[in-house]
Amino acid sequence: MTVVRNCSNCGAQSQASANSCTSCGAELTAELGYEPYQRNEASPDTPRVSVSQYRISPDKIVVMSILSWGLYLFYWLYLTWKQYRDHTREVAFPVWHAAAIGTVPIYSLFRIHAHMRVFRELMLQAGQATSISAGRTVGLMIVFTVLNGVALVVVELGTTSTTALITLVIDIGSVSVVILLLYGVQKNLNRYWREQSGGPLFNARLGAGEVILVVIGVLLWVDAIASVLSESYRLV
């Protein structure tokens, strides 16, 4: 592990022992806000990735979580883990990380704990206060998992207007948990990316995966609402 510094003038990285930025020549001093952090040297030749488009609007999280039926959680885990990998150059696998959280019940709790812990540590190393809590996130993830499990049990009891309504209420609760889980964490991350960018911070581009999840989510909402309102639909 090698200690490096981010230049707050251009964002480039230099050795901690350097007195000036190797990219723009700016003086590296603590007074100007240069903070060292640890990065993995596994891929020293990997080009530095700008963090200027890492911002995700908290309002977008609310909208996307609702439209996607809560599935946005897994895209967010993929995207932010990819940002972490590109920013720190640590060895990480965003797709498998998000897939494991979405499919492996117990292991998923360890993965999401690690997800929040590393971002909390990044902020603390940069001298930023943070309200990210890995324990709180794990607790919300447990609630999310339990709600989805209960919904499956209710569906197995039969397709009636009552069971359909109960399932819809549980689905709304599940989406609410996703919003609680992501909203505060993203506000912390946006503050971190703003400092690391050393300049304007722009919203991350809309990804194809997000569009696909919204389409799936809308179809699931239509199915859930139609099951409550239409007996003929439930019998199909």
Side-chain angles (χ1 to χ4, degrees):
M1 301 292 286
T2 300
V3 178
V4 297
R5 289 185 178 186
N6 276 348
C7 173
S8 62
N9 183 54
C10 70
Q13 294 176 346
S14 301
Q15 295 294 324
S17 57
N19 294 319
S20 61
C21 176
T22 56
S23 177
C24 69
E27 184 180 0
L28 298 179
T29 62
E31 289 78 4
L32 292 178
Y34 297 93
E35 294 290 342
Y37 72 92
Q38 301 289 327
R39 74 170 170 85
N40 195 307
E41 287 288 351
S43 304
D45 298 326
T46 303
R48 179 182 177 277
V49 178
S50 170
V51 303
S52 62
Q53 294 186 338
Y54 278 12
R55 182 181 186 274
I56 303 174
S57 168
D59 292 338
K60 177 184 178 181
I61 284 179
V62 174
V63 173
M64 293 298 293
S65 296
I66 293 173
L67 292 179
S68 69
W69 203 62
L71 296 174
Y72 183 70
L73 166 65
F74 304 105
Y75 184 86
W76 182 90
L77 290 166
Y78 154 77
L79 179 59
T80 52
W81 202 240
K82 181 177 181 296
Q83 292 173 344
Y84 165 76
R85 181 198 66 187
D86 295 343
H87 175 56
T88 64
R89 299 184 185 180
E90 293 284 352
V91 177
F93 305 94
V95 173
W96 295 115
H97 176 74
I101 293 176
T103 59
V104 187
I106 302 301
Y107 179 65
S108 66
L109 300 180
F110 291 96
R111 293 309 310 154
I112 201 163
H113 184 280
H115 193 107
M116 301 303 167
R117 175 176 50 80
V118 296
F119 279 114
R120 177 180 174 82
E121 290 175 354
L122 279 179
M123 294 190 69
L124 292 176
Q125 289 171 5
Q128 288 184 277
T130 176
S131 61
I132 295 176
S133 169
R136 177 177 179 273
T137 302
V138 169
L140 288 172
M141 192 66 185
I142 292 174
V143 174
F144 174 77
T145 303
V146 170
L147 286 175
N148 283 284
V150 172
L152 291 175
V153 171
V154 172
V155 169
E156 291 298 320
L157 295 177
T159 309
T160 67
S161 59
T162 300
T163 57
L165 179 60
I166 293 173
T167 302
L168 178 59
V169 171
I170 294 174
D171 291 338
I172 293 172
S174 178
V175 171
S176 300
V177 171
V178 170
I179 294 172
L180 285 173
L181 193 155
L182 301 183
Y183 191 88
V185 174
Q186 190 59 55
K187 290 181 71 174
N188 279 268
L189 293 184
N190 287 344
R191 286 194 294 106
Y192 177 75
W193 298 131
R194 186 179 301 111
E195 179 176 291
Q196 294 297 312
S197 69
L201 191 65
F202 305 99
N203 289 326
R205 296 188 181 95
L206 183 69
E210 292 174 289
V211 176
I212 292 172
L213 290 179
V214 166
V215 172
I216 294 173
V218 169
L219 292 175
L220 290 171
W221 281 123
V222 169
D223 176 73
I225 294 171
S227 295
V228 173
L229 300 178
S230 174
E231 182 178 357
S232 60
Y233 182 84
R234 292 195 301 273
L235 296 177
V236 173

